[in-house]
């Protein structure tokens, strides 16, 4: 597995074959055995920590393109029903392919703007959009901002959505991933799904699992590489993520020090 432009995982050349046990075979096997809850949960956990990615879906013949949409819809619908507390416990001590670093400390102005709104905007575009275009659409209509401000707004929102595998960033711009397309199509409360995709960010896992000394240390060691003013700005994203978690789990794990750690970010 290799890391490409901004948090995007791809298989190395030797991993792209159909013989890769964590490639296309893994997805198709789980999809064919939809009633096997254990297999599905294992797939979800491996996907969230990066051991399994959706790039292998590109091996499916274009003639069977509908299968990609069906698998994505099945996966995000099943993900919606996995208890958040179960995910926290399963991921607590897992090693992530995208490990904690200053580069993946999020910054946002609006949680929904950086998740559902960006999906809505990209779903209406026939091509990838750049940061300036996204910033223009995401800013309130009454807001008078220059191009630099729009670019930064669009960049922060895009990178946040990329953490959750909702969008992909490359030289062409920002576009939806198969998972992002499935979340966009999903019926009902889509934030329920996004609440679970938050676990793709190792730092959020560490924050939520801060009852474990190792997770707490990694979170603090990473966060305190930032200057005080930058930490204060970035704390907003973690506060928003915890709020979404609390909304769908109704309480953080016993021993969680999340609020205390966010307070430390602001000191």
């Amino acid at each position: 597995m290799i890391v490409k432009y901004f948090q995007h995982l791809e298989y190395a050349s030797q991993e792209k074959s159909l013989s890769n046990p964590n490639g296309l075979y893994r997805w198709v096997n789980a999809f064919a055995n939809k009633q096997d809850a254990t297999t599905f949960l294992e797939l979800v956990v491996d996907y969230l920590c990066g051991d399994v990615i959706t790039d292998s879906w590109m091996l499916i013949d274009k003639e069977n393109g509908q299968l990609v949409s069906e698998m994505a819809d099945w996966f995000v619908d099943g993900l919606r029903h996995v208890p958040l507390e179960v995910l926290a416990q399963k991921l607590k001590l897992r090693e992530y392919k995208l490990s904690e670093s200053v580069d993946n400390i999020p910054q946002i102005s609006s949680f929904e703007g950086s998740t559902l709104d960006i999906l809505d905007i990209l779903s209406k575009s026939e091509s990838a959009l750049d940061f300036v275009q996204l910033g223009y659409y995401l800013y309130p209509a009454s807001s008078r901002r220059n191009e630099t401000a729009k670019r930064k707004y669009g960049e922060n929102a895009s990178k946040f959505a990329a953490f959750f595998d909702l969008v992909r960033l490359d030289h062409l711009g920002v576009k939806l991933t198969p998972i992002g397309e499935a979340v966009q199509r999903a019926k009902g409360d889509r934030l329920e799904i996004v609440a679970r995709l938050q676990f793709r960010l190792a730092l959020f896992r560490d924050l939520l699992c801060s009852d474990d000394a190792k997770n707490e240390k990694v979170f603090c060691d990473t966060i305190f590489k930032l200057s005080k003013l930058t930490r204060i700005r970035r704390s907003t994203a973690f506060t928003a993520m915890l709020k979404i978690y609390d909304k769908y789990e109704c309480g953080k794990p016993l021993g969680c020090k999340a609020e205390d750690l966010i307070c430390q970010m602001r000191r």
Side-chain angles (χ1 to χ4, degrees):
M1 207 90 70
I2 53 178
V3 181
K4 301 292 281 187
Y5 181 68
F6 196 76
Q7 311 301 313
H8 174 61
L9 285 169
E10 287 186 5
Y11 288 114
S13 57
Q14 67 271 20
E15 298 176 302
K16 293 181 179 179
S17 68
L18 291 172
S19 61
N20 180 2
N22 277 334
L24 183 59
Y25 171 80
R26 180 84 181 274
W27 287 103
V28 173
N29 181 62
F31 184 57
N33 295 280
K34 298 178 183 178
Q35 305 307 315
D36 189 337
T38 299
T39 297
F40 181 76
L41 179 58
E42 290 173 349
L43 177 65
V44 166
V45 171
D46 286 349
Y47 165 78
L48 292 174
C49 68
D51 283 343
V52 175
I53 58 178
T54 61
D55 269 32
S56 57
W57 295 1
M58 296 172 63
L59 294 173
I60 297 175
D61 294 335
K62 291 184 178 180
E63 291 76 10
N64 296 316
Q66 183 61 27
L67 177 59
V68 172
S69 296
E70 291 176 1
M71 279 203 304
D73 291 341
W74 155 76
F75 184 72
V76 300
D77 184 62
L79 178 63
R80 182 201 298 270
H81 301 291
V82 180
L84 285 160
E85 174 64 12
V86 170
L87 293 178
Q89 291 305 313
K90 293 284 187 181
L91 290 162
K92 190 172 186 176
L93 299 177
R94 286 291 295 267
E95 182 178 347
Y96 274 55
K97 285 295 184 290
L98 289 170
S99 59
E100 301 87 343
S101 71
V102 172
D103 290 339
N104 53 35
I105 301 174
Q107 179 176 340
I108 57 171
S109 298
S110 163
F111 187 92
E112 290 201 31
S114 302
T115 53
L116 300 186
D117 289 353
I118 202 170
L119 294 185
D120 292 340
I121 292 166
L122 289 171
S123 69
K124 296 178 176 67
S125 176
E126 295 182 358
S127 59
L129 298 179
D130 62 29
F131 294 150
V132 175
Q133 292 170 315
L134 282 168
Y136 173 83
Y137 289 119
L138 287 169
Y139 259 131
S142 60
S143 179
R144 295 181 179 180
R145 301 293 181 117
N146 60 31
E147 183 170 307
T148 300
K150 290 175 182 175
R151 178 186 301 279
K152 192 61 179 175
Y153 196 99
E155 180 180 359
N156 288 340
S158 299
K159 288 182 174 180
F160 192 70
F163 286 133
F164 304 157
D165 195 26
L166 296 172
V167 304
R168 179 179 300 177
L169 284 56
D170 60 27
H171 66 286
L172 296 175
V174 185
K175 55 187 176 183
L176 294 177
T177 63
I179 295 296
E181 291 174 351
V183 174
Q184 168 64 18
R185 289 191 297 265
K187 306 298 183 183
D189 187 353
R190 294 179 294 163
L191 279 178
E192 220 175 10
I193 303 166
V194 176
R196 286 143 177 86
L197 289 173
Q198 291 185 131
F199 278 110
R200 283 183 61 86
L201 183 63
L203 279 168
F204 178 71
R205 181 276 309 268
D206 295 330
L207 179 64
L208 198 68
C209 298
S210 50
D211 60 314
D212 184 89
K214 179 181 178 182
N215 295 125
E216 180 184 5
K217 184 178 187 303
V218 173
F219 182 84
C220 291
D221 286 350
T222 306
I223 291 298
F224 281 93
K225 290 177 182 176
L226 301 174
S227 68
K228 180 178 179 179
L229 288 178
T230 304
R231 287 200 311 270
I232 292 172
R233 287 197 299 269
R234 302 295 178 92
S235 67
T236 302
F238 288 112
T239 298
M241 293 172 77
L242 279 177
K243 183 177 179 181
I244 293 296
Y245 181 92
D246 285 344
K247 178 178 180 179
Y248 295 102
E249 181 53 38
C250 301
K252 289 175 282 298
L254 185 65
C256 176
K257 303 175 184 177
E259 280 86 359
D260 289 341
L261 293 177
I262 291 177
C263 286
Q264 290 180 39
M265 290 181 69
R266 295 171 177 154
R267 292 174 188 160

